[in-house]
Amino acid sequence: MTDWTGKSAAELGRAIGAGEVDPVELAQAYLDKIAAHPLKDRIYARVTPDRALAEAKAASDRAKAGMRLSPLDGVPVSWKDLFDTAGVATEAGSKLLEGRVPESDAKVLQTATAMGLVCLGKTHLSELAFSGLGLNPVTATPPSVNDAEAVAGGSSSGAAASVAFGLAAAAVGSDTGGSVRIPSAWNDLVGLKTTWGRLSLVGAVPLASRFDTVGPLCRTVEDAALMLAALEGRRAPDLTGASLKGVRLAALTTIVMDDLRPEPAAAYQSALERLEAAGAEIVPLDVPEVAIPMGDAAVLYTAEAWATWRNDISARGDLMFAPIRERFEGGKAFGAAEYLRAWDRMMEARAAWAKSTAGFDAVLCPSAPNLPPKVDRLLSDDDYYVTENLLTLRNTRVGNVMGLCVTTLPTGTPSCGISLMAAPMEEDRLLRLSAAAEAALA
């Protein structure tokens, strides 16, 4: 008997279209697998079986009538627990929001539902999405698929784990400084950070809304393309025939190559060699201006995060995981003038980036400079938590401060990814390029 839960979202969509699997049976298979999984409570904050089966029944009826809404109509996916779900708690991994039950779905969930996606439930995350590690002793800490004693990466930690452990066909997360790409890289998945403003944030619990983005975590680039289309309510880009022949790629050297751990360094070098063998020209590139907004990250992120959450944290911050609370409280130190000057510097750096990278199809870097740290050490060593969190977020943050769209792809080395960064709103072109890179890396 076929284990459909091991297939990609695209394969499931095609099987539903061909009548090989019924959406109700598929949803039930995922629900049964979740219920039986020993780590389910570290991955799912809550499962929504009634909703899943009702949506699957509607998808089944449409499939039988030849009226499917999209290639993923009937495919079960998970949602990070910061996307509002009508009548179901959305708590963003924090006791500050315990018992918060929204009246309507987030806009992207509404759109995805209208395209036929089936909602399996809500996944755990870093508290209020403010960590790249995925450690959350307040609610739960999802495991890495390669080491259950290590963190999954954050903040979309449960989203990645749900896909990597076969408990969802794909997942929807958010990315403010790397929160889709880090857990994707550490769990050998494809992750897509979309351009800020491309997907609606209405009904998503904010962290820093001027950087927050929505993106999918998937098994394949094809899945990422189909998921993006479903979240936007449109047709997916055509990825057939994608090739690296004649493609010019820049290998960023500024900051992202510093202090690489041995495994990510070796995986990245091997990946570059395979991309070159597939026909890509790869040129080292230094963009020194990137260092300016990277140095301003504390101002850019914590000032806005504190402005958003200061009242709640001031009143009930004792309910929070202390390192997360302290990171928020760091935003107190910055005034409006310093914050605005940092934004001006960032916009100047973005202009310099656009000029330096204009001759390239994409810019490459290691997705994360380190491997998933052990949960026990992060909990017992405060200094280690802080330094490892900052290192984890460093490479991915380039894409956020430069305002780019970015994919991370598995390299074949466990928990080591390679990132492809492209200009804002160039997701379709980036996905096509990523499909060619994916084939080369396989």
Side-chain angles (χ1 to χ4, degrees):
M1 183 176 178
T2 302
D3 177 14
W4 291 104
T5 64
K7 304 292 186 181
S8 72
E11 290 172 325
L12 292 176
R14 285 190 283 268
I16 292 169
E20 296 171 4
V21 62
D22 181 77
V24 176
E25 294 176 3
L26 181 61
Q28 191 62 61
Y30 275 104
L31 292 169
D32 291 345
K33 189 171 182 179
I34 293 168
H37 201 280
L39 300 176
K40 66 179 183 300
D41 292 334
R42 290 178 59 189
I43 297 171
Y44 276 91
R46 56 199 61 84
V47 182
T48 54
D50 292 344
R51 175 172 182 161
L53 292 172
E55 291 175 346
K57 177 62 168 64
S60 176
D61 291 344
R62 289 191 296 269
K64 291 171 183 173
M67 299 176 65
R68 298 183 71 223
L69 299 170
S70 75
L72 297 185
D73 191 351
V75 174
V77 303
S78 71
W79 289 79
K80 186 176 184 176
D81 191 33
L82 55 65
F83 294 103
D84 283 354
T85 38
V88 175
T90 301
E91 299 175 341
S94 180
K95 294 294 184 184
L96 293 179
L97 299 182
E98 189 172 26
R100 175 183 178 273
V101 179
E103 295 181 356
S104 59
D105 287 345
K107 176 64 175 173
V108 286
L109 177 51
Q110 293 177 22
T111 304
T113 303
M115 296 291 277
L117 269 64
V118 172
C119 174
L120 287 169
K122 314 291 290 295
T123 55
H124 286 296
L125 64 150
S126 305
E127 188 169 10
L128 297 176
F130 209 10
S131 168
L133 296 170
L135 181 74
N136 191 341
V138 172
T139 52
T141 297
S144 168
V145 73
N146 295 314
D147 182 355
E149 295 180 1
V151 290
S155 62
S156 306
S157 46
S162 71
V163 180
F165 283 92
L167 306 182
V172 183
S174 65
D175 191 310
T176 306
S179 292
V180 161
R181 291 159 291 158
I182 293 162
S184 292
W186 281 356
N187 291 278
D188 307 328
L189 301 173
V190 172
L192 170 64
K193 176 222 169 294
T194 57
T195 309
W196 182 86
R198 175 143 192 170
L199 290 171
S200 174
L201 295 170
V202 174
V205 176
L207 171 58
S209 59
R210 291 164 183 81
F211 290 102
D212 294 345
T213 63
V214 180
L217 301 87
C218 308
R219 292 183 180 274
T220 67
V221 173
E222 181 186 19
D223 284 2
L226 290 170
M227 284 293 292
L228 175 60
L231 294 171
E232 288 191 302
R234 67 174 179 94
R235 293 184 57 138
D238 183 6
L239 305 182
T240 57
S243 171
L244 292 180
K245 295 191 186 320
V247 168
R248 193 162 185 258
L249 303 173
L252 184 64
T253 58
T254 312
I255 297 176
V256 297
M257 301 301 292
D258 299 343
D259 303 317
L260 282 187
R261 304 280 164 78
E263 294 88 346
Y268 181 62
Q269 183 57 41
S270 172
L272 294 183
E273 292 169 0
R274 281 174 280 164
L275 297 177
E276 283 188 314
E281 177 190 4
I282 300 179
V283 181
L285 179 69
D286 180 29
V287 187
E289 294 87 353
V290 168
I292 298 168
M294 293 290 280
D296 284 336
V299 186
L300 293 165
Y301 281 85
T302 60
E304 183 175 354
W306 176 247
T308 300
W309 289 101
R310 66 191 185 281
N311 292 338
D312 298 89
I313 294 172
S314 296
R316 298 186 296 140
D318 57 309
L319 296 175
M320 299 180 69
F321 179 40
I324 298 290
R325 185 190 70 240
E326 290 161 6
R327 195 171 180 212
F328 273 100
E329 290 174 340
K332 294 179 185 179
F334 306 113
E338 192 168 1
Y339 176 72
L340 292 172
R341 283 197 297 269
W343 262 87
D344 288 343
R345 290 191 292 267
M346 183 178 69
M347 298 310 291
E348 291 170 1
R350 288 183 179 184
W353 172 278
K355 184 176 180 180
S356 297
T357 61
F360 297 97
D361 294 290
V363 180
L364 307 173
C365 76
S367 298
N370 53 348
L371 295 176
K374 299 286 189 181
V375 172
D376 287 348
R377 185 173 177 190
L378 290 170
L379 286 172
S380 63
D381 187 338
D382 291 344
D383 291 340
Y384 179 72
Y385 174 93
V386 172
T387 57
E388 207 68 9
N389 184 53
L390 291 175
L391 179 64
T392 297
L393 287 163
R394 187 196 64 198
N395 287 14
T396 51
R397 187 179 282 139
V398 172
N400 300 89
V401 297
M402 291 296 98
L404 310 173
C405 59
V406 190
T407 56
T408 178
L409 309 179
T411 60
T413 299
S415 296
C416 294
I418 184 171
S419 286
L420 288 78
M421 300 182 276
M425 298 296 177
E426 290 288 333
E427 279 85 352
D428 286 6
R429 187 178 63 81
L430 174 63
L431 285 162
R432 186 171 173 82
L433 181 62
S434 297
E438 178 183 52
L441 295 172

